[in-house]
Amino acid sequence: MTVIDQDGKEKLLARTAKYVKDLRGKEGKSILEKFEIERRYWQDLNVDWGIVTDFQIPETLVSNIEDCYEHRDLGYAINFDAREVTMIQELVPSLLQKHPEKKLNILAALIDESYDLTTGKSLAVIKHMLANKRIALPNDIRWLKDACCRDILGQKSLLAEVV
């Protein structure tokens, strides 16, 4: 994957993911030996390589990704009108600033009600915006349960910081 480093330069990263439990015992030893081969391969290509385990990925981040993943593309939903989606996407930034203490799901319901949209439509678009990194949350906030509009303001995508 390509990320932007702290100096603003593009950097290639290669990561392999494993559960910690799979790295233990005899099977773990053979996996680690394979990883050493992989590490050398990426080293020869001057690509930053590393192992990511379940201990390094915050549960909250995993939950947020699971909540939003299917909303990367809104094409799965029959009743999405492109004009409505655009309108909601344009409304969200100003409403985040206007209502910093509101929970995201309450803000979405407010948009639906104010513009006579089908219940849940704005929530789906907000999930779409999160899934496509148009808006982002800190990794430690469970967005559906706990996130307020103020939590989104000024956030950048934090996924690259995990790896």
Side-chain angles (χ1 to χ4, degrees):
M1 80 180 93
T2 303
V3 297
I4 305 298
D5 69 13
Q6 293 176 340
D7 299 327
K9 296 178 183 177
E10 285 189 358
K11 181 179 180 179
L12 285 175
L13 299 178
R15 295 293 184 261
T16 190
K18 274 291 181 197
Y19 289 105
V20 169
K21 66 179 177 72
D22 294 339
L23 299 175
R24 295 187 175 130
K26 288 183 181 180
E27 289 180 24
K29 185 178 179 185
S30 65
I31 291 171
L32 291 172
E33 288 170 355
K34 290 176 190 175
F35 283 169
E36 178 58 19
I37 295 167
E38 193 174 332
R39 184 193 67 77
R40 290 178 187 183
Y41 169 80
W42 289 112
Q43 183 179 25
D44 287 347
L45 296 175
N46 291 319
V47 174
D48 183 325
W49 179 85
I51 301 170
V52 178
T53 69
D54 48 324
F55 286 174
Q56 294 166 293
I57 301 174
E59 284 184 43
T60 303
L61 177 61
V62 172
S63 295
N64 288 343
I65 291 169
E66 288 173 348
D67 284 344
C68 297
Y69 187 76
E70 69 181 15
H71 290 84
R72 290 180 334 270
D73 178 17
L74 291 175
Y76 74 90
I78 298 169
N79 296 326
F80 273 92
D81 179 298
R83 291 172 301 193
E84 290 175 337
V85 171
T86 300
M87 177 194 68
I88 294 166
Q89 288 176 337
E90 290 173 355
L91 281 170
V92 167
S94 63
L95 291 174
L96 291 172
Q97 291 179 350
K98 189 174 181 180
H99 304 286
E101 299 305 315
K102 281 203 186 308
K103 299 263 187 188
L104 284 176
N105 55 345
I106 301 299
L107 179 75
L110 177 70
I111 295 170
D112 289 342
E113 186 177 313
S114 298
Y115 293 90
D116 198 31
L117 300 171
T118 306
T119 301
K121 190 168 280 193
S122 295
L123 187 60
V125 173
I126 290 172
K127 286 181 179 184
H128 174 73
M129 293 173 77
L130 285 162
N132 289 287
K133 299 178 187 170
R134 292 189 183 144
I135 56 177
L137 285 169
N139 291 336
D140 61 342
I141 294 177
R142 181 79 164 93
W143 87 268
L144 195 55
K145 289 182 179 178
D146 305 322
C148 290
C149 296
R150 71 173 178 278
D151 299 319
I152 286 183
L153 296 173
Q155 285 297 316
K156 60 181 180 162
S157 174
L158 300 174
L159 183 58
E161 293 178 18
V162 174
V163 295

